[in-house]
C-alpha cells in the first residue's frame, strides 16, 4: 500500500507557531505510522510564498521579496529539522518545477473549458487573499474571516467554473462519508456548497508576485490566484506537469489542514482535481485551533506561543504527546504550561516511566537484568489477551484521526502492567521461592512495554526507540509484525539500566513566559462538614416532576460557524451541529461576552425542542444555556467534550 500525507504549506509572512507545529506533528505521526506498517510513504510539507500579502510583508522590511521568502522559508525548514519531522520533500511555491506544474494545470483547465476571462469587481481581503460577496461582509465592510477591512477591487480576471462542480462535489460527499474528517465538519462543507457555488476568480492583475500564466496564453499581466497556485503544490511535488516521477503516490491518503482552510481543501481543491481528471484525496483532516486563554494567538496581542521554546524546556516529544493527547482532533485546544506539566507528570512519568523503572529495578534484583518470556503465557495469558484487545481497536481510532482516543486506549496497556505488578507482587513470590512466577510477571511487563512502544512510536519516535533499546529490540516493521500483528513475545534478552526517561516537573519551566502564560491559581473553598439531610427545605412552589423536566430536550452541540449579526450589538448567529442532518441556526444574545471567532469549534448546551422563532428577521432553531450575573455571562458547556447530540439530564 502507498500513503501520501501532506501538511498545508505555510505562509512565509511570519515564523512558525504552535498551530503550525500541531499540524506538522500530526502529519509526521501519520507518516511514521504508515512506514512502520511497511507501507510506501511520502510525506510533503513546505511553504506558500506568493501573493500580495508576502509582497507587502517584504516591502515593509525593505527586502527583495524573494530574499524575504527565502529567509522565512528556511526558518520553517530548520524548525522541522530540529523537531526531526520526517518529511520526504519540503516544497516551496517559488520552486521552478512547481511553477511549471501550476502552468500545466492552468492550461489543462483551459482545454477542459473550465476557465474563461471576464471582469471581477468585488470586496477583496488582502490578508485572506479572497474576494467576498457583499452579503458575507461584516459591519463596515470587514472581512468575515479575519475581520480586517476589505477594499473594492475591479480587475480583469480569469474565472474557474466552480459552479459546474457543485453537483459532482455533492455527489462525492454523499458517496464518501469519510472524505472530511472529523465527520462532524462534513455538514459545514455540505451546507456551504448547497448554498450555491460561484465561479472563482483565479488570476490577479493587481500585483506581480506570483506564478504567471503560461506563455502560450500571451497574457503577461495576469498572475495566478495564490490559492490555485498553493493547492497545486500537492501534485506538483509529485512531478505533475513535469516529470510525473512520483505521481503514483496520488491520490493523497490524508491531507491535514486547519479548520480555517477547510473550505479551500474540501471544495476548491476537489473541483480543481475533477477539472484535471485526477482522483480526489481519500481524507481531508481538519483540526481545530490552538488558543491562549481562549483567545486567538496573534503577534499584536503578544500571546503567541513559540514551539521552539516549548520544545527547549519540555522536550519536543513530550510537547508532541501533549498536543495530540490533550485535544480531540477537530476541536480547539488551549495551551498552558500547567496542562502540559500535568500530562507529563501523570501520563509519561507516573504511568509509562514508572513502569519501565519498575521492570528494570525488579529484573536487576531478581535475575541480574535477564528477562525471558518463557512463562508469560503460563501465568499471564489474560493480561496479554487484554493488551491485544486494546491494540486491535487502535487502527480504527487512528484512521479516524482520533489520536487522543488512540492514546487514551493505548495507555490502558500501562494500567494492565501496573495492576499486574500490584496483584502478583513479584517481591512476595521471590520470598516464597516461586521464582518462575515472579520472573513471568517481570517479563509480562517488559512485553507490555514493548508492544506499547511499537504503537506509541509514531507519536514519540525517539522516546520509544530508547525504551525498545532498553528492552533489547529495535522498532522496525519486522518487530511490529512480530510483536503486534503476530502477537509474539520478546525473545530472551538482558534489559539495559537507563536513567528515568521522564523526570517530574514541578514548576513551569519557561521563565520568560508571555503574558498569557500566567496561570490563575485555583480558588480553594473550605467545605463545611457533610451532614445527612432528612427533610427537604426546597420551597414547594413551582416545583415540577422529573417527567416535566424531561419534556425539555437539552443537547450538546458543536459550534460550526459563528458570525456577528450586522446592525446588532447583542446578537451572534451560530450554526450548531447537534448530530442532525443539517446544523441548527441559533441566534443568541451573547455578542457582548463572546467574539464569534472564539466560539467556533467549541461545545455548547442547547435547548433543542423549542419552537423555531425569528429574531431580527432571522430564524433561530434553539437556545443556548448560559449563566448571567452582575459580572457577566458564561455559556454552560460540558466539562469534557461529548459527542454532538448527547442528551443532557
Ligand atoms: N498558506 C495557506 C495554506 C495553503 S495550503 C495549500 C495557509 N497558511 S498559514 O500559514 O496561514 O496556515 C497554515 C496552517 O496553520 C493552517 O492549516 C492553519 O489552520 C494552521 N494554523 C494557523 N494558526 C493556528 C492555530 N492557532 N492553531 C492551529 N492551527 C493553526 O493557510
Amino acid at each position: 500500500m502507498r500513503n501520501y500525507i501532506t501538511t498545508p504549506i505555510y505562509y512565509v509572512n511570519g515564523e512558525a507557531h504552535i498551530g503550525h507545529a500541531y499540524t506538522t506533528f500530526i502529519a509526521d505521526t501519520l507518516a511514521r505510522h504508515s512506514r512502520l506498517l511497511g507501507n510506501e510513504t511520502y510525506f510533503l510539507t513546505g511553504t506558500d510564498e506568493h501573493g500580495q500579502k508576502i509582497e507587502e510583508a517584504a516591502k515593509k522590511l525593505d527586502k527583495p521579496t524573494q530574499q524575504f521568502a527565502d529567509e522565512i522559508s528556511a526558518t520553517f525548514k530548520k524548525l522541522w529539522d530540529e523537531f526531526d519531522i520526517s518529511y520526504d520533500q519540503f516544497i516551496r511555491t517559488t520552486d521552478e518545477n512547481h511553477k511549471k506544474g501550476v502552468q500545466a494545470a492552468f492550461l489543462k483547465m483551459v482545454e477542459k473549458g473550465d476557465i474563461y476571462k471576464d471582469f471581477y469587481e468585488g470586496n477583496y481581503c488582502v490578508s485572506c487573499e479572497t474576494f467576498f460577496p457583499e452579503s458575507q461582509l461584516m459591519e463596515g465592510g470587514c472581512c468575515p474571516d479575519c475581520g480586517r477591512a476589505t477594499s473594492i477591487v475591479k480587475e480583469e480576471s480569469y474565472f474557474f467554473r466552480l459552479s459546474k462542480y457543485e453537483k459532482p462535489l455533492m455527489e462525492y460527499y454523499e458517496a464518501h462519508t469519510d472524505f472530511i474528517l472529523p465527520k462532524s465538519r462534513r455538514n459545514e462543507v455540505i451546507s456551504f456548497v448547497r448554498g450555491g457555488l460561484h465561479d472563482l476568480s483565479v488570476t490577479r492583475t493587481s500585483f506581480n508576485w506570483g506564478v504567471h500564466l503560461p506563455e502560450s496564453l500571451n497574457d503577461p499581466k495576469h498572475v495566478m490566484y495564490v490559492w490555485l497556485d498553493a493547492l497545486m503544490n500537492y501534485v506538483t511535488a509529485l512531478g505533475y506537469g513535469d516529470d510525473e516521477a512520483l505521481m503514483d503516490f496520488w491520490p493523497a491518503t490524508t491531507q491535514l489542514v486547519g479548520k480555517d482552510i477547510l473550505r479551500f481543501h474540501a471544495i476548491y481543491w476537489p473541483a480543481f482535481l475533477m477539472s484535471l481528471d485526477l482522483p480526489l484525496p481519500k481524507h481531508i483532516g481538519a483540526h481545530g485551533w490552538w488558543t491562549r486563554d481562549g483567545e486567538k494567538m496573534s503577534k499584536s496581542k503578544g500571546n503567541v506561543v513559540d514551539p521552539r521554546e516549548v520544545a527547549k524546556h519540555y522536550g519536543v516529544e513530550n510537547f508532541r504527546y501533549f498536543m495530540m493527547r490533550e485535544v480531540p482532533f477537530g476541536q480547539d485546544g488551549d495551551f498552558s504550561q500547567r496542562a502540559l506539566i500535568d500530562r507529563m507528570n501523570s501520563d509519561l512519568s507516573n504511568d509509562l516511566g514508572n513502569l519501565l523503572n519498575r521492570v528494570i529495578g525488579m529484573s536487576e534484583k531478581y535475575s541480574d537484568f535477564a528477562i525471558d518470556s518463557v512463562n508469560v503465557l503460563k501465568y499471564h495469558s489474560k493480561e496479554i489477551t487484554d493488551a491485544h484487545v486494546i491494540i486491535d481497536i487502535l487502527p480504527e481510532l487512528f484512521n479516524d484521526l482520533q489520536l487522543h482516543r488512540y492514546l487514551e486506549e493505548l495507555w490502558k496497556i500501562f494500567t494492565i502492567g501496573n495492576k499486574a505488578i500490584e496483584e502478583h507482587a513479584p517481591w512476595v513470590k521471590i520470598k516464597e521461592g516461586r521464582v518462575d512466577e515472579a520472573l513471568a510477571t517481570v517479563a509480562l511487563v517488559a512485553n507490555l512495554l514493548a508492544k506499547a512502544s511499537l504503537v506509541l512510536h509514531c507519536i514519540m519516535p525517539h522516546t520509544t526507540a530508547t525504551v525498545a533499546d532498553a528492552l533489547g529490540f529495535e522498532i522496525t516493521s519486522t518487530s511490529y509484525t512480530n510483536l503486534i500483528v503476530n502477537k509474539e513475545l520478546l525473545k530472551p534478552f538482558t534489559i539495559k539500566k537507563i536513567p528515568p526517561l521522564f523526570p517530574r516537573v514541578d514548576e513551569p519551566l519557561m521563565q520568560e513566559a508571555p503574558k498569557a502564560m500566567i496561570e490563575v491559581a485555583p480558588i480553594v473553598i473550605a467545605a463545611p462538614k457533610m451532614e445527612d439531610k432528612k427533610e427537604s427545605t426546597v420551597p414547594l412552589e413551582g416545583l415540577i416532576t422529573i417527567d416535566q423536566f424531561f419534556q425539555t430536550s437539552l443537547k450538546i452541540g458543536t459550534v460550526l460557524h459563528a458570525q456577528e449579526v450586522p446592525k446588532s450589538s447583542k446578537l451572534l448567529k451560530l450554526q450548531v451541529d447537534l448530530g442532525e442532518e443539517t446544523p441548527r441556526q441559533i441566534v443568541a444574545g451573547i455578542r457582548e461576552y463572546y467574539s464569534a471567532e472564539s466560539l467556533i469549534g467549541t461545545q455548547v448546551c442547547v435547548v433543542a425542542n423549542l419552537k423555531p422563532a425569528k429574531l431580527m428577521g432571522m430564524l433561530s432553531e434553539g437556545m443556548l444555556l448560559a449563566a448571567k450575573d452582575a459580572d457577566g455571562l458564561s455559556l454552560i458547556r460540558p466539562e469534557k467534550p461529548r459527542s454532538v447530540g448527547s442528551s443532557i439530564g
Side-chain angles (χ1 to χ4, degrees):
M1 193 168 144
R2 273 200 196 98
N3 285 320
Y4 179 34
I5 318 285
T6 66
T7 70
I9 44 172
Y10 303 108
Y11 281 133
V12 290
N13 60 341
E15 290 194 18
H17 57 63
I18 59 165
H20 302 133
Y22 181 56
T23 327
T24 310
F25 285 155
I26 299 178
D28 186 58
T29 295
L30 302 189
R32 287 180 185 272
H33 183 261
S34 165
R35 290 190 201 105
L36 189 60
L37 264 56
N39 296 314
E40 251 187 283
T41 306
Y42 202 73
F43 170 18
L44 175 74
T45 188
T47 43
D48 187 356
E49 306 183 11
H50 287 133
Q52 200 170 354
K53 188 156 64 171
I54 312 293
E55 202 174 36
E56 285 178 2
K59 213 178 273 166
K60 262 193 206 151
L61 293 174
D62 212 11
K63 282 192 181 169
T65 317
Q66 185 64 58
Q67 183 195 330
F68 172 77
D70 289 347
E71 286 170 10
I72 306 269
S73 175
T75 65
F76 274 93
K77 191 160 186 283
K78 185 162 176 273
L79 183 68
W80 303 150
D81 289 338
E82 281 170 30
F83 282 4
D84 196 23
I85 299 301
S86 63
Y87 60 85
D88 294 292
Q89 187 184 152
F90 186 98
I91 193 172
R92 300 183 53 188
T93 52
T94 49
D95 290 342
E96 283 311 317
N97 49 352
H98 166 76
K99 293 190 214 167
K100 202 167 151 192
V102 179
Q103 289 174 334
F106 197 89
L107 274 186
K108 165 101 195 193
M109 290 172 178
V110 171
E111 275 163 27
K112 196 79 190 285
D114 282 348
I115 293 218
Y116 61 94
K117 199 165 163 183
D118 204 340
F119 277 90
Y120 196 96
E121 179 166 4
N123 304 280
Y124 187 65
C125 173
V126 174
S127 177
C128 299
E129 313 264 16
T130 309
F131 277 103
F132 291 97
E134 195 77 39
S135 59
Q136 282 183 19
L137 294 183
M138 286 169 30
E139 251 168 302
C142 291
C143 168
D145 280 355
C146 72
R148 293 187 177 87
T150 59
S151 47
I152 303 266
V153 172
K154 177 169 183 179
E155 55 182 56
E156 187 187 76
S157 176
Y158 286 82
F159 285 81
F160 174 77
R161 289 188 200 281
L162 186 62
S163 54
K164 169 177 158 188
Y165 291 97
E166 198 175 303
K167 200 159 163 258
L169 283 171
M170 287 301 268
E171 283 165 4
Y172 193 83
Y173 305 140
E174 291 302 328
H176 300 84
T177 52
D178 60 353
F179 174 56
I180 298 161
L181 293 174
K183 289 181 187 158
S184 54
R185 290 227 172 259
R186 204 172 146 249
N187 288 340
E188 179 184 328
V189 172
I190 291 179
S191 51
F192 190 92
V193 177
R194 199 174 275 146
L197 294 179
H198 301 285
D199 289 350
L200 191 68
S201 157
V202 286
T203 66
R204 301 281 183 269
T205 53
S206 49
F207 62 93
N208 198 34
W209 182 244
V211 181
H212 285 262
L213 295 201
E215 257 175 44
S216 57
L217 294 176
N218 201 14
D219 212 348
K221 63 178 188 296
H222 285 266
V223 291
M224 309 260 186
Y225 170 46
V226 275
W227 272 102
L228 173 63
D229 163 5
L231 286 163
M232 290 307 302
N233 93 89
Y234 301 128
V235 289
T236 59
L238 303 179
Y240 179 85
D242 194 17
D243 61 6
E244 310 258 319
L246 294 162
M247 279 305 279
D248 282 351
F249 277 101
W250 192 258
T253 318
T254 305
Q255 302 209 259
L256 284 162
V257 298
K259 63 180 184 184
D260 54 317
I261 56 170
L262 175 61
R263 200 194 323 152
F264 298 96
H265 285 81
I267 302 172
Y268 299 174
W269 178 225
F272 293 159
L273 288 166
M274 285 176 181
S275 175
L276 298 176
D277 296 319
L278 286 173
L280 307 200
K282 293 191 193 109
H283 309 290
I284 303 287
H287 63 71
W289 269 52
W290 283 87
T291 52
R292 277 298 313 167
D293 300 326
E295 284 194 52
K296 193 169 165 179
M297 284 182 283
S298 77
K299 275 192 210 147
S300 54
K301 281 191 209 142
N303 65 348
V304 176
V305 186
D306 176 358
R308 190 177 266 117
E309 277 292 293
V310 183
K312 187 173 112 194
H313 289 95
Y314 293 97
V316 66
E317 296 205 352
N318 300 338
F319 174 32
R320 187 172 154 128
Y321 169 79
F322 164 76
M323 293 198 103
M324 284 185 240
R325 174 64 186 85
E326 190 72 4
V327 179
F329 184 83
Q331 298 198 9
D332 289 346
D334 206 39
F335 181 88
S336 85
Q337 293 200 74
R338 184 42 60 199
L340 170 56
I341 292 170
D342 287 349
R343 282 271 166 224
M344 286 173 65
N345 287 344
S346 82
D347 302 6
L348 298 175
S349 183
N350 283 2
D351 298 339
L352 197 175
N354 220 5
L355 198 57
L356 182 65
N357 297 342
R358 290 177 92 176
V359 85
I360 295 174
M362 289 189 294
S363 64
E364 179 175 18
K365 269 198 205 144
Y366 311 148
S367 57
D368 195 19
F369 298 109
I371 294 194
D372 193 329
S373 307
V374 63
N375 288 320
V376 169
L377 291 181
K378 182 168 168 199
Y379 296 108
H380 291 293
S381 68
K382 177 162 179 350
E383 283 88 345
I384 293 290
T385 308
D386 289 350
H388 276 287
V389 168
I390 294 168
I391 289 169
D392 287 348
I393 59 172
L394 296 180
E396 195 183 333
L397 296 172
F398 195 89
N399 294 338
D400 278 348
L401 297 180
Q402 293 202 48
L403 299 177
H404 75 294
R405 286 276 304 113
Y406 179 94
L407 287 166
E408 191 179 32
E409 286 303 315
L410 191 169
W411 241 247
K412 292 182 184 162
I413 302 177
F414 302 129
T415 311
I416 297 177
N418 275 315
K419 220 168 122 205
I421 298 178
E422 295 315 319
E423 275 174 11
H424 295 269
W427 49 93
V428 175
K429 303 259 163 74
I430 289 281
K431 271 193 199 145
E432 293 170 357
R434 293 150 76 185
V435 178
D436 278 3
E437 278 179 60
L439 295 187
T441 306
V442 177
L444 162 75
V445 177
N447 275 285
L448 293 174
L449 278 166
K451 289 176 192 284
S453 303
L454 282 158
V455 281
L456 181 59
H457 177 71
C458 53
I459 290 165
M460 304 186 80
H462 290 281
T463 311
T464 51
T466 310
V467 175
D469 184 53
L471 297 175
F473 76 104
E474 226 183 295
I475 297 192
T476 60
S477 299
T478 312
S479 56
Y480 185 90
T481 307
N482 295 341
L483 293 167
I484 299 294
V485 182
N486 299 339
K487 306 185 180 179
E488 288 172 15
L489 298 178
L490 290 167
K491 305 266 174 307
F493 68 98
T494 307
I495 198 166
K496 275 192 196 150
K497 190 171 181 175
I498 56 167
L501 285 179
F502 308 103
R504 284 185 69 83
V505 181
D506 294 319
E507 294 297 322
L509 300 173
M510 283 159 67
Q511 298 302 326
E512 282 166 57
K515 193 169 87 260
M517 289 233 169
I518 298 161
E519 323 297 346
V520 180
I523 303 167
V524 181
I525 302 169
K529 212 170 137 249
M530 179 108 165
E531 271 167 25
D532 189 30
K533 196 168 171 183
K534 298 276 190 287
E535 274 187 34
S536 173
T537 49
V538 177
L540 287 174
E541 208 169 306
L543 293 185
I544 58 167
T545 64
I546 188 101
D547 290 342
Q548 283 170 316
F549 170 75
F550 278 116
Q551 282 172 12
T552 312
S553 162
L554 298 174
K555 288 191 171 172
I556 300 292
T558 297
V559 180
L560 302 177
H561 277 306
Q563 67 185 55
E564 286 84 3
V565 171
K567 302 198 188 74
S568 163
S569 57
K570 295 216 161 59
L571 297 180
L572 287 182
K573 188 164 85 175
L574 314 176
Q575 285 208 330
V576 182
D577 183 4
L578 291 186
E580 299 165 338
E581 199 164 316
T582 50
R584 298 274 186 113
Q585 173 166 299
I586 298 181
V587 180
I590 54 173
R591 180 168 176 177
E592 290 158 275
Y593 310 99
Y594 290 90
S595 69
E597 199 168 62
S598 70
L599 291 174
I600 298 175
T602 65
Q603 291 207 307
V604 286
C605 299
V606 178
V607 183
N609 61 343
L610 278 183
K611 278 204 182 126
K614 285 212 164 164
L615 285 167
M616 283 185 73
M618 286 169 304
L619 180 70
S620 184
E621 304 174 295
M623 192 177 94
L624 304 188
L625 294 190
K628 193 172 176 186
D629 66 12
D631 293 328
L633 173 144
S634 299
L635 285 170
I636 309 293
R637 305 176 185 281
E639 186 212 351
K640 288 188 184 141
R642 290 280 137 231
S643 323
V644 288
S646 304
S647 323
I648 306 170

